[in-house]
Amino acid sequence: MTPTQSLRIGRRTLTLHRQDKTLLPADETGDPITKGDLVGYYREIAPYMLPHLRGRPLMLERLPDGLDGSRIMQKNVPSYFPDWVHRVKVPKEGGSVVHPVCEDTATLVYLADQAAVTLHRWQSKASDIRRPDRVVFDLDPSGDDDFEAVRAAARQVRELLDSIGLASGAMTTGSRGLHVVAVLRGGPTFDDVHDFSKEAADTLAAAHPGQLTTAARKADRGTRLYLDVQRNAYAQTAVVPYTVRAKPGAPVATPISWDQLDDPGLTARRWTVHDALDQARTNPWGDLARKGRALGPARDALRELKDERRSGGGSN
């Protein structure tokens, strides 16, 4: 294979480099994943992935020398990125940072050719950077082989969100657990969303103290599943639906339907670059993006629920 090759995508002609280079080793069932495999996957999955990317600042997890080389967590856009890659300048403590924004297939393929294996997105869009429109609960089990605890926690998070008026969807992370995501409307601040998610997680941990915890220190968790809500703070990121994870076999963070949570074959790494497109075509989240609700009523309902439980009028 030649060191470089050209690829036309829409109005852009991309020069791709070292497509035969191995980025991720094989798992026990397949072959190593090359840069060409990564480019091909992101090109195919783009119609399903771009709705989750457009308008959002990104952090790139790059493996220019593969999984055994250095891992670069890149926020600032390098000077050599082409000018057609969208950028957004956002404030941070002591200055600012210029993030890439992926608006089209050409950009997604370009990032893959830069060995950006995993894309991490903000919970807000660049057009209203301080007002998130997503809330994320990251379900982190105590061990790699404890997915049953993840299933149970996902059901508990969904039940709580349903009871306070927030529709939600679940996603395998491609790593160890699941994310449960709800869509928000009405422009809450990051402080509002983080405080709400912490209150919701604390409520669940109090109702299921032997199963769930919000303890940030691993030493304090024991065998309990950690309800992580830190991704709801300003400038924090979460993995994008359908992104590849930097692990052997190229597992993919994949949205699922709630019915699929009962599948005994489900794991956090159930889908890879070889079959995630088939799952995407089933539209597992349906019209979740159109079911956003204001945070205020949900927060009020949560506090009413907590009051009921304190007074003995509610159940776990």
Side-chain angles (χ1 to χ4, degrees):
M1 182 176 289
T2 58
T4 64
Q5 63 188 77
S6 294
L7 179 65
R8 183 77 176 178
I9 300 179
R11 298 181 294 114
R12 311 294 181 195
T13 299
L14 282 68
T15 300
L16 305 179
H17 305 82
R18 298 282 307 278
Q19 296 300 283
D20 59 344
K21 184 174 186 177
T22 296
L23 293 183
L24 298 172
D27 62 10
E28 62 276 8
T29 64
D31 297 320
I33 304 301
T34 66
K35 191 190 289 189
D37 294 328
L38 187 72
V39 164
Y41 167 75
Y42 276 131
R43 187 182 185 189
E44 285 193 320
I45 203 72
Y48 305 95
M49 190 173 179
L50 286 170
H52 303 286
L53 286 168
R54 288 191 177 106
R56 297 183 187 275
L58 296 177
M59 179 175 68
L60 311 177
E61 186 174 347
R62 297 178 57 223
L63 301 176
D65 297 309
L67 194 58
D68 293 332
S70 60
R71 185 179 306 228
I72 302 170
M73 307 302 286
Q74 187 166 341
K75 297 180 179 180
N76 264 309
V77 176
S79 59
Y80 61 82
F81 271 28
D83 58 8
W84 49 262
V85 173
H86 287 243
R87 297 151 164 83
V88 59
K89 184 177 182 179
V90 299
K92 68 171 186 176
E93 186 175 353
S96 62
V97 59
V98 179
H99 287 269
V101 179
C102 184
E103 300 286 359
D104 52 34
T105 303
T107 301
L108 188 54
V109 169
Y110 177 82
L111 296 178
D113 189 60
Q114 296 299 309
V117 174
T118 307
L119 307 184
H120 304 254
R121 70 175 183 178
W122 280 48
Q123 310 316 316
S124 61
K125 291 187 175 181
S127 57
D128 204 355
I129 197 67
R130 293 191 178 276
R131 296 190 178 276
D133 60 4
R134 299 287 187 274
V135 57
V136 180
F137 296 85
D138 182 5
L139 313 183
D140 184 11
S142 61
D144 290 342
D145 58 351
D146 196 13
F147 199 74
E148 290 308 311
V150 178
R151 293 182 205 267
R155 295 186 184 104
Q156 290 156 352
V157 174
R158 183 197 185 192
E159 180 181 2
L160 177 64
L161 295 177
D162 279 351
S163 72
I164 61 177
L166 293 180
S168 59
M171 179 180 78
T172 67
T173 62
S175 180
R176 295 177 2 128
L178 293 172
H179 286 180
V180 177
V181 181
V183 181
L184 303 175
R185 295 283 185 266
T189 67
F190 272 101
D191 285 346
D192 292 335
V193 175
H194 183 263
D195 290 349
F196 162 78
S197 62
K198 185 177 185 306
E199 190 171 0
D202 285 341
T203 300
L204 284 166
H208 307 279
Q211 300 169 258
L212 306 175
T213 181
T214 58
R217 294 177 66 248
K218 286 187 177 182
D220 296 332
R221 299 176 197 166
T223 60
R224 294 173 296 174
L225 179 140
Y226 176 41
L227 293 172
D228 184 358
V229 298
Q230 298 309 311
R231 285 159 179 75
N232 300 303
Y234 179 78
Q236 297 301 304
T237 60
V239 292
V240 180
Y242 302 114
T243 199
V244 179
R245 301 308 303 271
K247 295 184 179 297
V252 171
T254 309
I256 63 172
S257 69
W258 282 111
D259 288 343
Q260 287 178 299
L261 192 63
D262 298 324
D263 180 353
L266 183 68
T267 69
R269 303 183 190 181
R270 162 63 182 80
W271 286 277
T272 72
V273 293
H274 302 299
D275 57 4
L277 181 61
D278 294 335
Q279 170 70 358
R281 287 171 173 153
T282 70
N283 189 23
W285 278 359
D287 60 350
L288 179 64
R290 295 192 291 273
K291 292 182 178 179
R293 296 292 183 268
L295 184 64
R299 184 175 52 217
D300 293 343
L302 176 62
R303 290 172 181 171
E304 290 176 9
L305 178 64
K306 289 170 59 181
D307 289 343
E308 289 177 6
R309 289 180 175 177
R310 277 195 293 265
S311 65
S315 64
N316 289 348

